[in-house]
Amino acid sequence: MTSEAHPGQTPTPAGTGRPLVEIAHIDKHFGDFHALKDISLDIHSGEVVVVIGPSGSGKSTLCRTINRLETIDNGTISIDGQVIPEEGRSLAQLRSDVGMVFQSFNLFAHKTILENVTLGPIKVRKLGKSAAESLAMDLLRRVGVDHQAQKYPAQLSGGQQQRVAIARALAMKPKVMLFDEPTSALDPEMINEVLDVMVELARDGMTMVVVTHEMGFARKAANRVAFMADGEIVEVAEPEEFFTNPQSDRAKDFLSKILTH
């Protein structure tokens, strides 16, 4: 079942007019494996959609198709009314409107924290060095690591590096932020420091798609939860509705396994 048809797909306060992200009937194969099956999902400006589900359900693949890190076989993905092309300059332009935070931090080891954050605005947005550094310091302050600006990634903890990665994505002034299991590589005591930054972003109105196993974050920050299984979006609902009254057997089974521990 696609999310379009599901009664749980409720309008959001920000959800007037055209959605910011429109995913329509996308399919994705890896060889014979059908990883994404006729996925449709609309995400409105200012909305936080948390994608959850068992391992191998297609969550990360879906996240990576939104900025074309993974190609798709069928369907379309649009950002702010523009269909994302397969390649070329317009792809690079649209991709710069989509911030991405990965499981691994992907920082440049040989550059300082400040240089990591200013690189995109200088190279892609053509911002002057002093303006880029001022923006970067504001963002590093926002995520709580401004005092580490002159250090190198290896000198920071995993939680600090992931917060730098969030600042780096924000420095491009994206229209939407994608988070692909941003806390799964972190030690338990570092997870909350990253989730706290994400909760603040959500409160500030950043449009976010978050693939995560952190159910507390889903309950606290999501406008809607999209539950995936076997490459399909099985159910979409507001968090309270999903966690207390799941509609599908797959979701009930999933929640019974994770919420009893």
Side-chain angles (χ1 to χ4, degrees), residues 146-183:
D146 49 307
H147 57 296
Q148 311 280 12
Q150 298 308 322
K151 292 186 178 177
Y152 290 87
Q155 296 173 274
L156 274 59
S157 71
Q160 289 170 328
Q161 288 188 60
Q162 193 59 297
R163 285 185 279 155
V164 172
I166 292 172
R168 181 181 59 180
L170 290 172
M172 295 295 287
K173 298 199 158 90
K175 293 176 179 176
V176 57
M177 287 275 283
L178 310 177
F179 293 86
D180 185 10
E181 302 201 13
T183 58

Side-chain angles (χ1 to χ4, degrees), residues 172-213:
M172 295 295 287
K173 298 199 158 90
K175 293 176 179 176
V176 57
M177 287 275 283
L178 310 177
F179 293 86
D180 185 10
E181 302 201 13
T183 58
S184 60
L186 298 177
D187 293 333
E189 70 271 19
M190 295 175 190
I191 289 173
N192 281 339
E193 66 188 56
V194 173
L195 292 177
D196 287 347
V197 169
M198 293 168 62
V199 169
E200 281 302 309
L201 281 181
R203 286 188 183 138
D204 290 346
M206 173 59 74
T207 309
M208 295 160 62
V209 180
V210 183
V211 173
T212 187
H213 295 289

